[in-house]
Amino acid sequence: MSADLSIDFAGIKSPNPFWLASAPPTNTGDQIMRAFDAGWGGAVWKTLGEPIVDTSSRFGSIDVGNQRMVGFNNIELITDRPLEVNLREIREVKRKYPKHVVIASLMVESREDWRDIIHKVVDAGADGIELNFGCPHGMCERGMGSAVGQEPEVLKTVAGWAVEYSKVPVLIKLTPNVGDILEPGIAAVEAGVHGLSLINTIKSIVGVDLDRMVPYPVVGNRSTNGGYCGPAVKPIALHMVAALARDERVKIPISGIGGIATWRDAAEFIAMGSTSVQVCTSVMHYGFRIVEDLIDGLTNFLDEKGMKSVRELRGRAVGAYSEWGDLDLNYKVAAHVDPAKCIGCDLCLVACRDSSVDCIHTGPHPLPAGHRAPTRDAAIARAKDSGVNVTWVDWDECTGCNLCAAVCPVPGCITMADDTRGKPFESWNDRVAKGTGGA
């Protein structure tokens, strides 16, 4: 039997952990029903509030090499459709898909506005509400979105109103545009909310039209900062999810958001403490169909690891995340170049020489007495036979920085081998405690 992908998020049951994030793909009931038909377990409805007027254009993106939309930027605001239309469609979606999750993302101003809209979406059948305290453009200038998320006391007050008025679980969507994600996260916990979702988009300028001398996305002859998302933001999102997941004060579930495009991304977010994951940019790029790969990939991974459910994966990597001062300073790896796979491009040699310790060599470069270079003889032999400029590594010069493995274009050619050689664990904090400091 395959692993069970179903989850329970603060009492909200979902057939799988894959939810659509509040964004253009969740703007209508028709979109969400098609997404559910494709396999998504839940959807966070595009933020409801006082309907707005959007600009044209409003999207920008960054390509890297042949890969499109590695980073994506938008200045789009909340829904531009009447609230009553959205409420009618929420009812229709929940009537047709009672076992799928519908979370209503909300953003309004006054206490009375929060009370009224919460009552309406709960009456319409929403399984939960997500307070949008993260939008970094347009709405924050009106005192909403990230303007609330960046002020923990204000966040705590508004979140408290939502907890008071809501009969369904309350999630807070946090902004990454803060110095320490713990401050708004803990404020939300103290307000009594039932879950956290993060990250919202990052305040950014995605580029400049150098012909018109206007930043992207161009609106007439002007532009403004937008919200950055897509695969490029995943490392930032993972860090912030992990920071909250390892804090003992955070006992509520987390919905991870930020650059999730593959099942492996999703598995990493879950391993770092997420219960559900929310996806947007990849759906805007490739459509709802990507959920098939997400489901198959995560199921196969859990089966291969002998895990019977998503619950067994959740938080598995959190314990290995610590402050720098608690890392083992005696742990050592050294670069190993497979002579049979090296194509002689010299990228590793140049990178090491210009940016690290110059421990990578070719040919009969002299090896100092007592130094080790496990692949030197094989590299020299292959170079002689093939004419390929095969590289090798002086392990006693190598600091194990990993740069060569990062730049190598051949998968599996450069690996990092354990060269600790039996030294006991000792961290910087251990050394400070013993009074030896950096010795």
Side-chain angles (χ1 to χ4, degrees):
M1 180 179 293
S2 296
D4 177 12
L5 294 191
S6 66
I7 62 167
D8 183 327
F9 189 104
I12 301 172
K13 292 181 171 49
S14 176
N16 62 54
F18 301 115
W19 296 354
L20 292 170
S22 172
T26 62
N27 196 34
T28 69
D30 176 69
Q31 288 172 294
I32 291 175
M33 288 189 283
R34 285 193 287 110
F36 288 167
D37 286 339
W40 293 90
V44 183
W45 209 279
K46 185 175 172 68
T47 303
L48 307 177
E50 188 67 27
I52 51 74
V53 176
D54 269 316
T55 62
S56 174
S57 65
R58 53 186 178 272
F59 296 148
S61 66
I62 291 177
D63 304 333
V64 176
N66 295 324
Q67 189 172 353
R68 305 296 303 273
M69 285 176 57
V70 170
F72 191 75
N73 171 290
N74 82 89
I75 57 173
E76 185 164 299
L77 304 181
I78 65 174
T79 184
D80 58 358
R81 302 192 312 141
L83 179 61
E84 290 306 320
V85 173
N86 282 293
L87 294 173
R88 184 177 68 242
E89 293 179 3
I90 290 174
R91 290 191 185 91
E92 181 183 6
V93 171
K94 283 305 298 181
R95 182 177 61 81
K96 293 183 176 178
Y97 298 83
K99 295 183 179 179
H100 288 70
V101 175
V102 171
I103 306 290
S105 175
L106 306 176
M107 184 195 292
V108 288
E109 293 186 76
S110 70
R111 178 170 185 150
E112 291 73 24
D113 290 341
W114 281 106
R115 179 196 60 204
D116 292 346
I117 198 168
I118 288 171
H119 288 168
K120 288 178 180 177
V121 298
V122 171
D123 287 345
D127 299 292
I129 60 174
E130 182 184 84
L131 279 54
N132 183 342
F133 291 162
C135 184
H137 48 77
M139 304 308 289
C140 54
E141 296 161 4
R142 311 176 193 187
M144 295 179 278
S146 62
V148 177
Q150 291 170 327
E151 297 291 342
E153 287 304 315
V154 178
L155 181 155
K156 189 174 177 180
T157 297
V158 179
W161 298 342
V163 172
E164 177 184 348
Y165 296 135
S166 179
K167 296 178 182 178
V168 298
V170 177
L171 285 67
I172 300 292
K173 189 170 185 177
L174 299 174
T175 174
N177 301 295
V178 294
D180 183 355
I181 195 65
L182 289 177
E183 293 182 0
I186 298 305
V189 170
E190 291 175 348
V193 304
H194 309 92
L196 301 174
S197 53
L198 67 156
I199 59 174
N200 207 309
T201 54
I202 301 170
K203 204 167 189 175
S204 61
I205 293 176
V206 78
V208 177
D209 183 333
L210 291 177
D211 293 320
R212 301 174 64 179
M213 289 297 169
V214 180
Y216 294 115
V218 175
V219 183
N221 59 359
R222 299 188 178 191
S223 188
T224 187
N225 72 271
Y228 196 49
C229 53
V233 311
K234 175 187 157 188
I236 300 168
L238 266 181
H239 158 67
M240 292 187 169
V241 166
L244 287 164
R246 70 186 292 260
D247 194 292
E248 294 181 352
R249 293 168 291 180
V250 180
K251 307 292 186 186
I252 55 178
I254 295 172
S255 189
I257 314 167
I260 297 168
T262 68
W263 71 264
R264 181 177 292 276
D265 297 330
E268 291 175 5
F269 271 82
I270 294 169
M272 291 303 274
S274 299
T275 295
S276 69
V277 293
Q278 297 184 30
V279 182
C280 171
T281 308
S282 292
V283 169
M284 294 179 72
H285 197 167
Y286 300 109
F288 294 134
R289 60 186 176 179
I290 67 167
V291 75
E292 296 176 10
D293 290 338
L294 295 175
I295 291 173
D296 288 345
L298 184 60
T299 300
N300 292 337
F301 172 74
L302 294 175
D303 290 345
E304 290 172 3
K305 296 296 182 183
M307 299 183 194
K308 297 180 180 178
S309 70
V310 176
R311 290 186 298 278
E312 293 188 38
L313 174 62
R314 188 181 312 140
R316 278 288 188 100
V318 174
Y321 168 60
S322 69
E323 301 298 332
W324 190 95
D326 291 321
L327 299 179
D328 184 3
L329 296 182
N330 284 336
Y331 177 71
K332 169 73 168 38
V333 292
H336 179 281
V337 182
D338 185 341
K341 295 182 178 178
C342 180
I343 60 174
C345 67
D346 279 352
L347 281 174
C348 61
L349 186 152
V350 172
C352 187
R353 182 187 64 199
D354 292 354
S355 305
S356 192
V357 295
D358 195 17
C359 69
I360 299 180
H361 311 287
T362 59
H365 182 88
L367 185 67
H371 282 212
R372 300 162 297 142
T375 63
R376 181 174 183 269
D377 292 343
I380 293 172
R382 179 163 179 246
K384 183 178 180 180
D385 293 340
S386 66
V388 175
N389 206 29
V390 179
T391 58
W392 52 270
V393 180
D394 183 334
W395 275 28
D396 294 285
E397 293 176 341
C398 179
T399 61
C401 73
N402 219 32
L403 177 61
C404 55
V407 303
C408 180
V410 181
C413 179
I414 299 182
T415 54
M416 306 305 292
D418 190 337
D419 192 33
T420 304
R421 292 187 285 174
K423 292 183 179 179
F425 181 99
E426 186 181 35
S427 70
W428 170 261
N429 290 333
D430 291 336
R431 293 188 180 187
V432 170
K434 289 187 288 188
T436 55

